[in-house]
Every structure is written in C-alpha cells, then in structure tokens.
Amino acid sequence: MKKQNEKAKFGLILAVYLLGIFMGALDTGIVTPARTIIQNNLMVDEKTGIWMITIYTLAYAASIPVMGKLADKFGRKYIYLFSIMLFGVGSLFCGLSQNFGSFSFLLVARVIQAIGGGGILPVATAEFGTTFPEDKRGLALGLVGGVYGIANIFGASAGSAILNIFGINNWQFIFYVNVPITLFIIIAGLMALPNTKEQSTKKIDGLGILILTSMVLSLLYGLKSIDFFAFNQTITSPSVYPFLLLFVFLLPVFILAEKKAEDPVINLNYFKSPPILITLFLSFITGVVMMGMIFVPQFAENALKIPSGSGGYFVIILGLFAGIGAPLSGQLIDKFGAKFVLAIGFSASILGSLFLIFVTTAYPNFITVAVCLILIGIGIGFTMGTPINYMMLDNTAAAESNSALATVSLIRSIGTAIAPAIMIGFISHAGLAVQTNVMNILPSEVNVPALPYAQEITDTENSLLSNDAMKEKMAGIEIPDLSTPRTVKINMNDTSGYTMPPELLDLMKTSDVTTITENSKILAENMFAAMTPDTIAEIQNGVQTGINAMNNASTEIDSNIADLQSAYDGIDQGITGMETAIASQKEALDQLESLRTTMVEMPASASAAMAASASASAMPASATMSGPAGASASLIDMIPDAVKSQMPQSVLDELSDVQTVDDLDSKIAQLQAAIATLASQVSDSKASQAKMLDGVTAMQDAKVQINDTVTKMTALKNAVPDAFETAKNDYLAEIDNMKTAIETEFQQTLNEGFKQVYLTVIIASVIALFSLAFYKNKKPDCNDEDLLINGNLNDDCETI
C-alpha cells in the first residue's frame, strides 16, 4: 500500500513537471503558425516580427542560469512554481497586446514569459537527471525530451486550431490557453512537489549574465540588419558593424568577468574539456537546426496553397515522428551511446532538408511535404535535448548538474536566437521578390472597348473636310481619333505618379499563396481608380473640344446661310428690276421698229406732206419744218400728239434727236444692245442665285451632319467612363484566369527563401557530424561494481 502511495505521489510529481514542460514547449510551437498573422496584424515586417521568437529565446537563455541558481538556493519546487506563475502572467500580457495593438508590449510580455520559461525545463530536467538511477537516466531524460518535442511541435497544430476556432483576427487566444494550465500546475505543485535544493550555493553571476545578454543582443541585432544578398554594402552599415564590433569587444570582457565570478554563468573550465566543448558546440548547432522547425507551417501553407494559420496542422506529422524519436533516442542512448543517436538525428535532418529542397519544392503535394516532415521530425527527435543533456551530465559531476544543464540550455538557446535572425533574412529577401515577380507576369496592357459612334464620327469628319465649302469652317477643329481601340499599357511595378496607400501596401506584404491573386486584383483596381481619371478626362476634354468647335462651326454656318439668303433676295430684286427694264425697252424697241417701218414705207412727198400737216396743226403759223436758217425738224415733231401720248417717255427721249432713218436705226441698235446687256446680267444673276442656293443647301446639309455628329460625340463622351470600367473588369478577369500561374510564381519565389533556410540546416548538420567524429565517449570507472558484474567492459575498460 505504501509503495502504491509512493507511486501515485511520484506520478503526480512527474505529471506536474511534465505538464509545465508541456505548457512551455506548447507556447513555442503555438506561436509558429501565428507568427506571420501577428506581425501583419501589428504592422511590422518579417525581420522585426521574428523578434517575438528571438527575444523569447534570448530572455530564456539569460534566465536559465539565474533560475538554476535560485533553484539550488531556495529549492526547485518554489522556483519552478514561481517560473510557472511568470509564464502564465506573461501569456496573459501577450494576449492583451492585441487589444493594445502594440508590438512593443508583446515583446515585453514575451520577455516575462521567457524569464518564467527559463525556470521550467532546466529545473524539471535537473530533477529527473539527478533523482533517477543512472541506468534509467536516459529513459527519464528521453521522456522529458519526448514531452517537450511533442508539445513544441504539436503546439503549431494547436495554434492553427485556435486560429480556426476564434479567427485569425483573434490570435490572442493562443496565449490565453496557458492561463488555466498555469493555475492547475501551481495548485497541484504546492500540494505534491518536494523542495529539492543543494546544500551549498554560490553567488549568482549577475555581471556575467548582463554581459552575455548584451553580447548576444548586439550579435543578433547586427545579424538581423545584414542582407546576405548585398553583404558588402550592408556589412558597413551603421546598423551592422558597430554592433558586431561591440560583440567582439565584449567577448574578452565576458571571459575576464567569468574568471572572477564565484559561480560563473558559463563555467570557462568547460571549454578546456574537449568532450564538453564539443557537447556545447553540438548544443549550439542543435539550436540552429531546431529553428528550421519554426518555418515549417509557413512552408506547408505555401507548398500546399492553404490559408495562413493552417500550416500548423501539418506539423502534426513532424511532431508525431519527433515525439516517437525523442523517447526512442533515450533508449538507444542507454544501449549505443549519445554519439550514435546524434549521428542518426543529424543525418535524418540532412536527408529531410535535401528532400525538401530538391523534391518537395519541385513537386509540392501532401506526400512530398509529409516525407520531408517525417525525416525532419526524426532528426529533431534524435537531437533535441536528450543526447546533448546525457553527454553533458556524463562529463560533469552530479553536484554540477543544474549548472551543466543550464549551460547546455543557454548555449542551445543562443543558437535558437541567432539562427532565426539569419534565416528570416532569406524569407524576407524572397518576400521582397514575390511582389515584383508576380507583378511582372500580370497582363501588361488592357484594351478599352470601341466607343459608340467612333467610326461614324471619324467618317463624318472626313466627309466634312472633303467639302471645299466646309474646309475653312472645319479649320482648327481636332477631333481625337477614337475609331481605333485604345490600348493602355499597365506596369504594376511602375508606380510613378501613384502613391500606394499604406493599407494597400500592408495588404500586398501580408499576401500568401491563397490571397495573392485577389490582392493583386485589389491593387490593380486601386491603381485603375487612381490613374484612369486623368486619362478619361483627357479623352472627354478632347471630345468636348471637338463638340465646342462643331457648335461654333454650326453657328457660323447659320450666319453664312443668312448672309447668302440676304444676298439671294437682293439679287432676286435686281433680276426683277432688270426684267422690268427689259420689258419696257423691248416695248420701246417694238415702237421704234414699227415707226421705222412706217418711215421706210412712206413716200417722200407723203413724208413732206405729213410733216407739213403736222407743222400746220401743231405749231404756230410762223413755224415750219425748217427754221429760218433751214434747220431740219426732229422726228418727234412729225409724230401726231395723239400718237405721242401713247408712247413711253423713254421712247420719246430716244426720238428727241432722231431726224433721219439712219438716226432711228442707230437708236434701235443701241436699244437692242441695252436689252442684250440686261438679259446677260439677268442670266448671270440667276446663275449666281443657283450657286448661292447650292451653297445654302450644302451648308444646311453640313449643319445637319454637324448636329448629328455633336449628338453622337456627346453620347461617346458620356460612354468613356463605362468603357474604362469594362476595360478594368476585363483586366481583372484576365488576372482571375491567371490564378494558377500567379500562385505558382508566388510559391516558387517564396520557395527560394525556404531552400536557403534548409540549406542552412544542412550545413549546420554536416558541421555537427564532422564535430561528432572528434567526440570520445567517457571511459567508465573500472571499479564500478555494476559494470564488472554485468561484464560490460572491454579490454580498455571502455563502455561498448
């Protein structure tokens, strides 16, 4: 019964510690699928957003030795529970940072979380590593590693689930999940945990921790600001080289401080022992390799074209095999040694990364993603925590277990802090190329549909200009050529004359493979809305200029028609007068010709008698045909008064000086010539009238054409905005039709960044394998009775 109670209590202790480890690791993984969502929501870029992870690892690394020393002094129970409380408070503040909309507030909250996290895993690991029997230590540490690995990686799936439940705009709930777990651990821990402490403790190395933190922070900031694709330019930047120089300057200062410290944060004697030195270096490499894991959700989303925040589900595959690998590695360590297990882990990481680079990116589908995640998961399971911790404990005294494991965790955390600062640069660089590459494959031009009446207006213009009478009227009128469909060149990367609104810029930056097509359409639509009004106004103004000129020409035609009509009426009156004159002259001509006939036919004696008779009847007695001087009388004097009264005055005037037939013939000829002249003038005037009438008709026809053209141009002008709206919709439809090509371009461009990230993992793993070749397993104590009894000694008294 007593044993059963002890087992139950031991089980509760184990559960409290493992639940704390689970919560701490869960939070690291749970942030992974939300990383891009959080940074986009708080409006920071990739290089700044990664600090939500690096600031955590940095503060975590700095807190580990402090918490370890405090645990030795005040007991593991209270420091562990205090760390849990800090972690819970930090989680609460992380969630509240969304309500404040502050990335800085989030970073402060992450530091609080990390300080608490620094006392969870190391304290729990030290408790298991020192209280378990040596032959079961590997299994115990493997169990810790398994829980840590499963929670760390399955946390990504939990993050995706929370985002799906509450929505990506409520990411704070991924942090709030820690609050109830925190309360349970604190209550259960106060009831069940023993308070293990060291008998003697030394002073905490506060100065060393401060210098080390400053060193890592300066190194991180310097590396963050380096663009490895423009290394020569950025290495000389004020945001890079001063911080790298500060790191170099602080390094000897740190060594000097550690030599003087009573209990240094990093025991420099560790670096004098080749096995420990290699172990610490491998711990750093393990931290670098592990950081490839934080990009898995984003890679899965890009490869499988799924929405942001959903990639965490696919990390289940990685977590499953990491969870299997971690405890298995613990068992294999007990049998084959940590070196063998690490070699398997790093080799699996290399194979998984190579498969991702050359196969998954070329043939992205569920199977190829799963294969690379399985291999990477095995690699993480065989390298994360257990083998390195075993090697460190194997090469240090039991009394130094807390310090030794804290040092391992510190060095690994430095690796996990530095690696993202480098890796995120690859993703950021690829992200910068994404927008350019995607914009380059979008349609480069858009055709504006033919405008109504465009061809008819052009034809009418040509018709009017072919009319000599209208050429002068149309001079200076420039109607835009609208008969040819207008093509508008589109260069989405050329934003000259166009300033992209901040919200649209953020939209493009936060695009993923599932939203890039729709966001490109939004960008195109926004550019159309900003840039086409000037083009529309230019066309409409040109058309309106033509309308105004046409209206002016129509008014001038009206004036010309009125002038022609007035001239026509004046000519008409002249023709009437001339025709009246001709009639009068013809009547006179008829009388003269009749008179001449009479005179010609009349004998001379009769003429004289008629003259004498006329003289006697009409004149006084003293008057005669001839005057005293013998002058002859005119013909008019010979005409009886009764006849003269019937003759026009014009005829009488013409006869006033006619005395002979010849004189009469001359007058008849003059009168005939005058009649002919008037007749010719009448004919010319009528010809002019005809031309005027033709001109009036032509102008009236032209006015009808002009008025019709003005009506059509007005309709065309009003149709311009709708034509551009149709052009915009056609362009957006073209983008829709290119959806697959756009997503593929986005996917392939971003994959270049992922390839470089996992190439970094490969290089780090190869370096680790090379370093392992120099590691020698610790020789056992040849006086160890257990080893002698079990016969597990070779001739050199080394474990086999």
Side-chain angles (χ1 to χ4, degrees), residues 619 623-634 637 659:
M619 297 184 294
T624 62
M625 279 288 289
S626 299
S632 300
S634 65
D637 295 331
Q659 296 179 350

Side-chain angles (χ1 to χ4, degrees), residues 458-795:
T458 302
D459 293 341
T460 300
E461 180 189 12
N462 294 332
S463 173
L464 292 171
L465 290 175
S466 66
N467 187 324
D468 292 337
M470 290 302 301
K471 255 183 190 177
E472 186 177 347
K473 310 296 180 191
M474 297 288 293
I477 299 177
E478 295 184 4
I479 302 175
D481 181 11
L482 302 169
S483 59
T484 304
R486 181 179 291 264
T487 299
V488 180
K489 296 293 182 182
I490 300 293
N491 183 354
M492 300 297 283
N493 285 314
D494 181 12
T495 56
S496 56
Y498 169 73
T499 302
M500 190 181 298
E503 63 273 13
L504 192 60
L505 191 61
D506 291 337
L507 181 70
M508 294 306 296
K509 286 181 178 180
T510 58
S511 296
D512 60 35
V513 70
T514 65
T515 61
I516 184 60
T517 302
E518 193 61 32
N519 289 350
S520 297
K521 288 171 59 181
I522 294 173
L523 172 62
E525 190 168 8
N526 188 277
M527 289 183 68
F528 261 92
M531 302 174 73
T532 54
D534 290 340
T535 304
I536 292 173
E538 179 185 352
I539 296 173
Q540 289 184 317
N541 290 339
V543 175
Q544 186 60 50
T545 300
I547 291 173
N548 294 339
M550 286 279 190
N551 286 331
N552 292 337
S554 178
T555 302
E556 189 176 347
I557 287 173
D558 284 337
S559 176
N560 291 340
I561 289 175
D563 291 343
L564 284 175
Q565 189 64 52
S566 177
Y568 182 92
D569 293 341
I571 291 174
D572 198 47
Q573 293 174 1
I575 289 174
T576 301
M578 286 187 289
E579 287 178 340
T580 300
I582 289 173
S584 176
Q585 288 176 346
K586 282 184 176 181
E587 182 181 355
L589 180 62
D590 289 342
Q591 291 179 354
L592 290 177
E593 286 178 343
S594 176
L595 183 60
R596 182 184 184 283
T597 302
T598 302
M599 289 179 67
V600 171
E601 292 176 351
M602 188 183 298
S605 57
S607 296
M610 185 180 76
S613 175
S615 176
S617 63
M619 297 184 294
S622 60
T624 62
M625 279 288 289
S626 299
S632 300
S634 65
L635 179 59
I636 197 172
D637 295 331
M638 298 168 60
I639 301 172
D641 289 339
V643 175
K644 285 194 293 184
S645 65
Q646 298 178 3
M647 296 178 68
Q649 184 59 43
S650 60
V651 175
L652 294 175
D653 292 340
E654 292 292 336
L655 294 175
S656 63
D657 59 349
V658 174
Q659 296 179 350
T660 65
V661 173
D662 290 340
D663 291 338
L664 185 61
D665 286 341
S666 176
K667 289 295 183 182
I668 290 172
Q670 290 176 2
L671 195 56
Q672 287 175 334
I675 290 172
T677 298
L678 285 173
S680 176
Q681 289 177 347
V682 168
S683 178
D684 290 344
S685 295
K686 287 184 176 181
S688 295
Q689 271 192 318
K691 286 184 179 179
M692 287 182 181
L693 190 59
D694 290 341
V696 169
T697 302
M699 287 185 180
Q700 288 174 336
D701 291 342
K703 182 178 178 181
V704 171
Q705 283 185 302
I706 287 174
N707 290 340
D708 182 61
T709 301
V710 167
T711 300
K712 291 176 179 177
M713 290 177 72
T714 302
L716 181 146
K717 173 188 171 184
N718 294 334
V720 171
D722 288 341
F724 272 81
E725 182 69 17
T726 300
K728 181 195 74 175
N729 293 334
D730 290 344
Y731 186 78
L732 297 180
E734 284 190 64
I735 295 178
D736 270 331
N737 293 336
M738 296 181 64
K739 185 175 187 293
T740 300
I742 292 171
E743 289 179 351
T744 300
E745 183 66 30
F746 183 101
Q747 185 184 60
Q748 291 177 349
T749 303
L750 200 57
N751 276 344
E752 292 302 313
F754 291 119
K755 287 180 181 179
Q756 290 155 353
V757 166
Y758 289 97
L759 178 61
T760 304
V761 172
I762 291 173
I763 293 172
S765 298
V766 169
I767 293 174
L769 287 176
F770 180 77
S771 302
L772 271 176
F774 296 93
Y775 181 80
K776 301 293 184 182
N777 288 326
K778 179 185 176 183
K779 291 183 178 181
D781 183 357
C782 293
N783 295 319
D784 191 314
E785 293 184 1
D786 289 336
L787 292 177
L788 290 173
I789 293 172
N790 295 326
N792 292 329
L793 296 179
N794 61 13
D795 294 339

